[in-house]
Amino acid sequence: MAAFSYICDSVAVITMSNPPVNALSSALIRAVQKAVEEAIGDFAVEAIVIRGDKGKFSAGADIREFNRLERGPPLVSLIDLIEDSKKPVVAAIEGVALGGGLELALGCHYRIAHAQAYVGLPEVLLGLVPAAGGALRLPRLIGISATLSMITTGKYVQAREALKLGIVDKVVGENTVDEAIQLAKKVIGQPLGSRQLSTLPVQCPPNVEAFLDEAMVKVKKQFRGAQSPLACVEVLRAAVQLPYLEGKKKERELFQFLYTTDQTRAQQYAFFAEREVAKWTLPSGASWKTASPQPIRTAAVIGLGTMGRSIVTSLAKAKIPVIALEQDKKQLDIGSKAVMSLLDREILKMEQLGHTEFTNSLGPVQFTLDYGKLRDVDIVIEAVFENMALKKEIFRHLSGICKPEAFLCTNTSGLDIDEMASVTNRPQMVIGTHFFSPAHIMKLLEVVHGHYTSSTTISTAMRLAKMLGKVGVLVGNCPSFVGNRLMRLYVEQAVFLVEEGSKPEEIDRALEDFGLAMGPFRMMDLAGLDIGWKARTEIGLTGPKLPIGTPARQRGSKRYSPLPDILCEKGRFGQKSGQGWYKYEKSGGRNAMPDPWLYNFLSEYQRIHNLKTHYVTQEEIIERCLYVLINEGFKVLEDGIASGPEDIDVIYNNGYGWPKYTGGPMYYASIVGLPVVLTKLEKYYGANPDIPDLKPSSFLKKLVSKGNPPLKEWRSHLGFQSSML
Ligand code: 3H9
């Protein structure tokens, strides 16, 4: 676990070892404590270096132990022991020093970091506050403002930025431990007072109370509904107002309060769910363990529209050389300029953080009109607009040009992968890689497995997600896959509620208050209403292909709302045209304002269609919009399109702005209670029999009949299913 391993010229080196990330479990804390005590008591030792095994300092407290009743020795007293040592202690930080890991390093008198290492206090992402003195020592070292930004966002800070901020004393390119030993030797006998952070005053801006009040307002707005960012501001207030020891008490109180909340349980679930989904298995038995990903050294992207541009940027950021192809010179010029401007923005961001080497480490981008240049790439990502005929033509073409080992991916957001694969000479190497906009920022990659896709191809696409810093979630091939299949029903429900008497801003507010990053109407206006309109026109739900005599508000036996189509017919496409569900200050404006025109238009629409309106409560908005989405989630599980509820939750947490502190839609349903969700769906379906999507799914009913089992048991109740995975 931890050994006071060797003494090098009077410097004891203590190695923390708890694979894979040296999480500070009770056993590890106990072992480090023993090693430090031994080193302090050993006359031959004059200084101490603490390091982590296998190139990782420590990822912090062992999250797996959070739910255990019996608790180990407190990390806080180990850190105090280190800080109080009369012998200098140096932290040699390689890999990561996160949460309790960084707190331990802050207890050391000096910190040396490898250039590739990251430090951070990400407790907030688990619904907690740092609880081993991190939020008290850090503002004494780097000031309130920088600490606030780190602990309320949980962001990871690379070594060079950490040096700039003053978190570490030195950054080295290699031999971190040797450098730490040299530094330890050098400081033997020097006074340590100024290096014991808990004894120093907090560095505050002039009017710190006003600064913290303002911070609280901002944080409330930024992390709507989340409790832990607010507690982070509170703990900083304690750091400022109270002596260190009293601050420690407050820190403990806040941690203990948060520790019992539903939010922290949901966030811990979300953390492990993200890791779980990487461990995919197919019904055939092939899995992440047995399949080997192929190397991706070069890539190509076809189409430089909004998605293509940001996919190119994402690849370049991951240092993968990329060839970007467009069909004509004009599109190529526009696309290449847009890519260069995205890359410039990324470079600027990194330079502001002190990463001067970033420019050189971007993968080179080559722009071309010539398919011949794609001959040797390892992977091609097609990102042209959603037209099957065009996509098939491209796949047919790629088949003849690319080397036989090249993987062919499509960024389609819902078209049939198998149909595209069927025109290639390598259907087993065709896969969906559904990026989310903007692709160089959003963390989700929906990896869509077709009927023919091989396990090597899946494994390679999942590896690609990791290389791009994304969470890859493997899903089956069905119209709109998982994310958009659920989203369509949620949006449709919101539009029905407008027909029934609610207003777009009321619905948006209710769902944003629930915690969603953006309500459905603001989201539609941002994405562009014309996109859905085009798709509906193509499949004959509206426009010239719609059979004459089709009732305006009915398609087949289902209710249909033509409202979005009518807005498009009137040129209201959303932000891009300056008006949609809202009006904007100008075309391309971002400031959504309720539009009196829309109110008149809706009244007229309701009159023409003889609609009875009713007062739509916030409760009805939340329940109808969210439960219809959750209901479809159960259907997706039943159909075998996602292998577990965790996959759906990870998709929503990372691709659709779902509030992580509720765990994701399926976890949220488990907390609300499946019998409640079922009863509400029955009620709403009863009142709206023309909306069959409100009819409770048989899997939901089955789970309720089995006594509402906990989420981790849901999979076992799926029974025999024709898995599409
Ligand atoms: C804390 O410190 C509270 C303190 O203030 C004070 C308390 C008193 N514990 O992500 P990966 C596992 S709160 C247990 O796939 P990567 C992870 O589940 C803690 N396990 O690898 C996975 O297991 P498996 C604050 C942990 O290279 C394996 O390690 N710290 C922990 O992409 C590999 O993980 C954090 O929030 C942990 N702390 O990324 C750090 N961390 O193989 C959270 C990881 O069975 N961790 N595991 O699936 C991370 O951000 C990333 O895991 C890290 C590695 C960057 C470290």
Side-chain angles (χ1 to χ4, degrees), residues 224-289:
R224 197 195 301 256
Q227 293 166 318
S228 55
L230 308 184
C232 285
V233 181
E234 276 313 307
V235 83
L236 276 190
R237 202 184 285 281
V240 168
Q241 290 175 340
L242 304 172
Y244 178 76
L245 287 178
E246 282 180 49
K248 228 163 120 175
K249 261 195 236 153
K250 182 74 186 173
E251 180 193 66
R252 177 123 216 98
E253 267 168 42
L254 284 166
F255 182 81
Q256 278 174 340
F257 163 70
L258 291 171
Y259 199 71
T260 59
T261 58
D262 287 342
Q263 290 199 357
T264 188
R265 273 191 281 275
Q267 283 173 262
Q268 285 169 41
Y269 157 81
F271 175 85
F272 287 116
E274 259 173 45
R275 270 101 199 139
E276 213 45 55
V277 299
K279 297 171 186 160
W280 56 273
T281 307
L282 299 183
S284 66
S287 76
W288 65 285
K289 276 196 205 145

Side-chain angles (χ1 to χ4, degrees), residues 115-132:
Q116 299 300 326
Y118 283 89
V119 302
L121 291 173
E123 285 86 344
V124 73
L125 305 176
L126 296 168
L128 298 168
V129 286

Side-chain angles (χ1 to χ4, degrees), residues 92-145:
I93 302 174
E94 293 172 312
V96 288
L98 299 171
L102 176 59
E103 292 176 298
L104 191 145
L106 291 170
C108 298
H109 305 112
Y110 295 89
R111 287 157 293 281
I112 284 196
H114 186 271
Q116 299 300 326
Y118 283 89
V119 302
L121 291 173
E123 285 86 344
V124 73
L125 305 176
L126 296 168
L128 298 168
V129 286
L136 303 173
R137 285 193 176 89
L138 199 57
R140 288 171 160 83
L141 183 64
I142 66 169
I144 285 287
S145 171

Side-chain angles (χ1 to χ4, degrees), residues 299-437:
V301 175
I302 300 186
L304 287 176
T306 314
M307 285 310 292
R309 294 165 193 178
S310 59
I311 296 172
V312 171
T313 308
S314 182
L315 289 159
K317 272 175 73 179
K319 306 182 184 137
I320 301 173
V322 44
I323 300 173
L325 183 139
E326 253 300 350
Q327 57 176 356
D328 67 46
K329 174 95 177 61
K330 189 170 162 222
Q331 294 306 324
L332 188 72
D333 286 347
I334 298 172
S336 60
K337 273 195 199 109
V339 169
M340 295 326 281
S341 125
L342 287 176
L343 287 174
D344 283 347
R345 245 183 276 165
E346 290 301 309
I347 291 168
L348 189 70
K349 258 197 257 167
M350 296 312 275
E351 283 177 354
Q352 280 165 352
L353 296 176
H355 306 304
T356 42
E357 78 287 8
F358 184 73
T359 320
N360 303 329
S361 67
L362 282 175
V365 184
Q366 195 187 332
F367 297 95
T368 187
L369 294 170
D370 176 8
Y371 267 92
K373 293 250 166 68
L374 273 47
R375 199 154 282 129
D376 294 322
V377 295
D378 296 321
I379 195 162
V380 183
I381 301 171
E382 165 280 306
V384 302
F385 63 91
E386 294 289 74
N387 178 302
M388 183 54 95
L390 176 62
K391 286 184 192 271
K392 276 163 84 171
E393 189 189 316
I394 289 171
F395 271 85
R396 207 173 285 120
H397 203 45
L398 288 172
S399 221
I401 284 173
C402 295
K403 63 182 182 185
E405 310 84 57
F407 297 96
L408 306 182
C409 311
T410 169
N411 178 50
T412 177
S413 58
L415 298 180
D416 186 2
I417 308 291
D418 293 337
E419 195 174 336
M420 285 176 234
S422 70
V423 299
T424 70
N425 56 0
R426 62 194 85 182
Q428 76 285 1
M429 295 175 83
V430 175
I431 195 161
T433 47
H434 178 205
F435 288 78
F436 287 71
S437 183

Side-chain angles (χ1 to χ4, degrees), residues 141-161:
L141 183 64
I142 66 169
I144 285 287
S145 171
T147 307
L148 180 85
S149 141
M150 275 180 72
I151 68 170
T152 54
T153 60
K155 68 177 177 187
Y156 296 178
V157 171
Q158 220 186 357
R160 290 200 200 287
E161 192 192 350

